[in-house]
């Protein structure tokens, strides 16, 4: 390979493609953009995130499950204040700096739907046991050891 360009840029982070759908014939690609990263430049997973994945903390779960209670948000009223919805799950992933850098919103939604056994992430609610299962799935995606089994 005689190219001066670095061939290590092979980790595809995101891709967005726009097609024109025609009544007859195949779709036509109008625009495509891709973001790739070099494996050595990937941001390291914070120790705080590693610890939350290895030992899902009930206090972290309770904090994010009740997020918005001071603002009288619907997700923090009544029984919903003791369960974590998808928005609260995303907020937690963002807070420990996993969202966007290591876990996409799409991947988070897939994990949330799988754990809650719902068709749409917006329909689900996590209990703490669901949260532990989500951390196990996140560990697998990130190729980290699974959470400890002790409560």
């Amino acid at each position: 390979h005689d190219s001066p360009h670095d061939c290590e840029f092979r980790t595809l982070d995101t891709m967005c493609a726009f097609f024109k759908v025609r009544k007859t014939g195949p779709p036509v690609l109008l625009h495509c953009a891709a973001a790739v990263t070099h494996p050595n430049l990937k941001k390291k997973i914070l120790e705080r995130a590693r610890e939350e994945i290895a030992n899902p903390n009930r206090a972290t779960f309770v904090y994010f499950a009740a997020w918005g209670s001071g603002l009288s948000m619907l997700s923090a009223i009544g029984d919903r204040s003791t369960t974590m919805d998808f928005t609260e799950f995303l907020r937690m992933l963002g807070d420990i700096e996993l969202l966007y850098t290591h876990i996409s919103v799409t991947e988070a939604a897939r994990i949330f739907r799988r754990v809650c056994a719902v068709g749409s992430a917006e329909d689900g609610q996590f209990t703490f046991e669901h949260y532990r299962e989500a951390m196990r799935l996140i560990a697998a995606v990130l190729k980290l050891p699974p959470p400890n089994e002790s409560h």
Side-chain angles (χ1 to χ4, degrees):
H1 166 63
D2 295 329
S3 172
H5 301 289
D6 185 349
C7 291
E8 292 297 317
F9 283 87
R10 62 176 175 252
T11 304
L12 180 64
D13 284 336
T14 59
M15 178 179 265
C16 183
F18 295 96
F19 292 89
K20 179 178 183 180
V21 179
R22 301 184 312 191
K23 290 182 182 180
T24 60
V28 175
L29 178 64
L30 297 177
H31 174 77
C32 182
V36 294
T37 58
H38 190 284
N40 295 339
L41 297 178
K42 184 122 177 149
K43 188 176 177 183
K44 293 193 184 304
I45 298 172
L46 296 179
E47 187 57 37
R48 185 174 115 186
R50 287 179 181 276
E51 180 60 29
E52 189 62 34
I53 291 168
N55 299 297
N57 187 329
R58 188 175 293 275
T60 301
F61 173 80
V62 168
Y63 175 81
F64 286 99
W67 183 81
S69 59
L71 304 172
S72 299
M73 296 177 77
L74 180 61
S75 66
I77 297 174
D79 290 342
R80 292 188 67 185
S81 67
T82 60
T83 58
M84 185 182 287
D85 65 25
F86 184 59
T87 301
E88 293 160 343
F89 181 57
L90 290 178
R91 182 169 286 278
M92 184 279 304
L93 291 174
D95 189 66
I96 62 174
E97 296 185 29
L98 286 178
L99 192 62
Y100 305 118
T101 55
H102 301 284
I103 296 284
S104 68
V105 173
T106 302
E107 188 67 25
R110 187 190 65 75
I111 290 169
F112 194 88
R113 284 191 316 268
R114 180 172 172 189
V115 171
C116 291
V118 293
S120 169
E122 289 77 23
D123 295 336
Q125 293 284 319
F126 270 176
T127 62
F128 183 65
E129 289 310 311
H130 288 127
Y131 179 69
R132 290 180 53 77
E133 175 64 12
M135 292 295 110
R136 188 185 67 71
L137 294 172
I138 288 171
V141 166
L142 299 177
K143 297 177 178 52
L144 296 173
N148 296 328
E149 292 302 316
S150 63
H151 295 314

